[in-house]
């Protein structure tokens, strides 16, 4: 199971949030026309035509949704809750409703900031949750918490039996900087209670390091604003001939525009993906000038989602990278925002995207060229060495 992180998960609200909001980017291939994530108009050379059949998705009529919310408000009830119930009954797997506060936090996350305590969590055994990473300079780091510590409870609630996303939601709370959260922490035979104050923190979507053999490891956690440029800069700065290990494991997606920029680091223009919006097919293209000769291996797993799958599909279909790991999540649908009468925002599925070779991703995922489990990174480095990218 991919690790969760308190910088990538909004606070669940009701049953609907279980699937749609486990990760802040999970439901957003095209999040927000507000952020211009997807092109509104294609270049003159882009052909628009009726979309090919895609997996079943949206059944939500935005006008009917607005009417339901307005009717609830007229009766003195919550328009947001009425919208949530409407979407949850619709069959739109990735549909979600955010109140004003949640959507503001959502947009800040796409900008690369979040409110939290600066730690990532993952499953430890059957029921346990452990800290997998502590962000330098964050509240958790200042309190001396370490990767490997176990969380026993959050604000008095035992974490045994909770999903990682539920634990992360407790860590985030209402997303208000300065509020406190009380953790029960275990390290070996020692246990203690630690109170942390949430803070506004910057995400680290891209980290880069170099192995002793010269191989460059580029790990992309999410495609927030600027992530694509960071990938491109890292590739341009790498020594000539050095292989690249592009780690997309646990990448929950983000902005398609950033995934396209990342693709441009390795492709000399051309198609990245096609997508349909209400029956009209459009396309995403890479920019010209990418490094097409450098050995490249992409690491993927079940936590590789949405925009990260879009990038994986482009690199795989176009023969630019060898993919290693396990089948990706299979989130290939397109959401667009719709503002409701009370100011809340509904993200509704309007279409699906396909890889350059025409493969559908939604509900299917992408199968790697080489399947690998716990030793996936080691296998990936071996493959990269065979391609001439390491010793």
């Amino acid at each position: 199971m991919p690790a969760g992180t308190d910088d990538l998960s909004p606070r669940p609200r009701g049953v609907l949030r279980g699937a749609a909001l486990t990760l802040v980017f999970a439901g957003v291939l095209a999040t927000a026309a507000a952020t211009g994530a997807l092109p509104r108009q294609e270049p003159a050379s882009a052909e628009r035509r009726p979309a090919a059949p895609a997996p079943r998705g949206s059944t939500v009529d935005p006008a009917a949704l607005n009417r339901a919310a307005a009717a609830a408000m007229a009766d003195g009830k919550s328009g947001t809750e009425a919208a949530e119930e409407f979407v949850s009954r619709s069959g739109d797997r990735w549909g979600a409703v955010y109140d004003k506060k949640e959507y503001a936090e959502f947009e800040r996350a796409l900008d690369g900031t979040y409110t939290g305590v600066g730690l990532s969590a993952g499953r430890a055994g059957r029921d346990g949750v452990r800290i997998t990473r502590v962000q330098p300079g964050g509240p958790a780091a200042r309190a001396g918490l370490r990767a490997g510590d176990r969380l026993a409870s959050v604000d008095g609630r035992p974490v045994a039996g909770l999903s990682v996303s539920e634990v992360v939601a407790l860590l985030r709370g209402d997303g208000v900087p300065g509020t406190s959260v009380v953790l029960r922490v275990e390290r070996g035979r020692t246990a203690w209670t630690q109170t942390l104050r949430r803070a506004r923190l910057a995400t680290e979507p891209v980290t880069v390091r170099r192995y002793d053999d010269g191989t460059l490891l580029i790990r992309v956690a999410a495609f927030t604003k600027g992530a694509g440029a960071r990938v491109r800069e890292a590739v341009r700065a790498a020594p000539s001939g050095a292989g690249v290990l592009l780690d997309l494991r646990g990448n929950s997606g983000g902005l398609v525009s950033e995934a396209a920029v990342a693709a441009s680091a390795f492709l000399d223009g051309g198609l990245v993906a096609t997508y349909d919006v209400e029956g009209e097919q459009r396309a995403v293209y890479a920019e010209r000038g990418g490094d097409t000769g450098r050995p490249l291996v992409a690491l993927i797993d079940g936590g590789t989602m949405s925009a990260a799958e879009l990038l994986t599909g482009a690199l795989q279909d176009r023969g630019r990278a060898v993919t290693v790991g396990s089948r990706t999540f299979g989130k290939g649908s397109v959401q667009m925002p719709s503002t409701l009468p009370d100011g809340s925002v509904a993200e509704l599925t309007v279409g699906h995207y396909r890889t350059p070779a025409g493969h559908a991703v939604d509900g299917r995922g992408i199968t790697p060229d080489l399947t690998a489990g716990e030793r996936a990174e080691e296998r990936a480095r071996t493959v990269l060495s065979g391609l001439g990218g390491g010793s």
Side-chain angles (χ1 to χ4, degrees):
M1 179 174 184
T5 173
D6 73 334
D7 58 322
L8 296 182
S9 296
R11 185 169 180 264
R13 179 190 172 105
V15 177
L16 173 64
R17 297 307 173 103
L21 299 184
T22 298
L23 298 167
V24 83
F25 305 112
V28 230
L29 174 77
T31 212
T35 58
L38 281 176
R40 311 254 181 123
Q41 295 189 2
E42 306 304 326
S45 60
E47 179 184 0
R48 294 189 178 191
R49 56 189 182 277
R56 294 175 63 185
S58 176
T59 55
V60 180
D61 178 354
L65 176 62
N66 269 275
R67 289 194 297 270
M73 294 172 64
D75 289 339
K77 301 177 182 178
S78 168
T80 300
E81 291 182 2
E84 287 180 344
E85 183 176 0
F86 190 99
V87 174
S88 68
R89 292 178 177 178
S90 71
D92 185 349
R93 181 185 180 193
W94 296 108
V97 179
Y98 302 80
D99 62 30
K100 292 180 182 179
K101 185 177 179 180
E102 289 171 333
Y103 200 71
E105 182 72 14
F106 179 87
E107 290 186 306
R108 281 193 293 268
L110 288 173
D111 282 333
T113 64
Y114 71 101
T115 299
V117 297
L119 62 80
S120 300
R123 178 63 60 202
R126 184 173 181 179
D127 295 317
V129 174
R130 64 183 175 85
I131 297 173
T132 57
R133 180 181 173 278
V134 176
Q135 181 171 336
R142 293 195 298 271
L145 300 187
R146 306 174 189 168
D149 290 345
R150 294 171 64 97
L151 295 179
S153 67
V154 179
D155 279 338
R157 182 175 179 181
V159 302
L162 298 181
S163 67
V164 172
S165 61
E166 288 173 319
V167 174
V168 167
L170 293 174
L171 291 170
R172 273 204 71 252
D174 289 324
V176 178
T179 56
S180 62
V181 58
V182 180
L183 310 182
R184 185 65 178 172
V185 185
E186 299 173 352
R187 181 183 299 162
R189 297 183 178 180
T190 303
W192 72 97
T193 298
Q194 184 74 56
T195 300
L196 303 177
R197 290 196 175 276
R198 300 179 180 95
R200 173 66 58 186
L201 301 169
T203 59
E204 297 177 276
V206 180
T207 55
V208 181
R209 73 182 180 93
R210 186 166 297 161
Y211 291 110
D212 292 339
D213 62 4
T215 297
L216 195 69
L217 173 65
I218 303 176
R219 179 170 284 118
V220 188
F223 284 108
T224 55
K225 289 182 181 178
R230 289 281 306 278
V231 172
R232 188 165 55 186
E233 291 164 5
V235 174
R236 288 176 175 173
S240 177
V244 172
L245 188 57
L246 182 65
D247 191 350
L248 300 175
R249 293 174 297 178
N251 184 316
S252 47
L255 298 171
V256 169
S257 56
E258 295 297 334
V261 173
S264 300
F266 305 104
L267 300 172
D268 186 21
L271 187 63
V272 173
T274 58
Y275 63 97
D276 60 273
V277 176
E278 297 177 342
E280 188 176 74
Q281 185 162 293
R282 307 178 188 181
V284 178
Y285 295 95
E287 299 174 9
R288 296 189 65 85
D291 188 333
T292 59
R294 189 183 299 277
L296 175 65
V297 171
L299 269 169
I300 57 176
D301 67 3
T304 304
M305 304 171 67
S306 193
E309 290 177 287
L310 179 146
L311 173 59
T312 300
L315 297 176
Q316 185 183 64
D317 279 7
R318 296 185 58 183
R320 182 60 189 89
V322 176
T323 54
V324 177
S326 54
R327 183 186 295 271
T328 62
F329 184 87
K331 196 277 171 183
S333 56
V334 179
Q335 279 70 45
M336 289 294 184
S338 176
T339 302
L340 301 176
D342 64 352
S344 57
V345 178
E347 288 270 351
L348 305 176
T349 299
V350 296
H352 299 81
Y353 77 80
R354 293 175 179 270
T355 69
H359 301 131
V361 175
D362 202 53
R364 304 177 186 181
I366 296 173
T367 302
D369 299 311
L370 176 63
T371 300
E374 294 182 358
R375 302 177 66 181
E377 188 169 329
E378 180 181 333
R379 296 287 299 276
R381 291 185 64 185
T382 300
V383 171
L384 193 60
S385 177
L387 296 173
S391 59

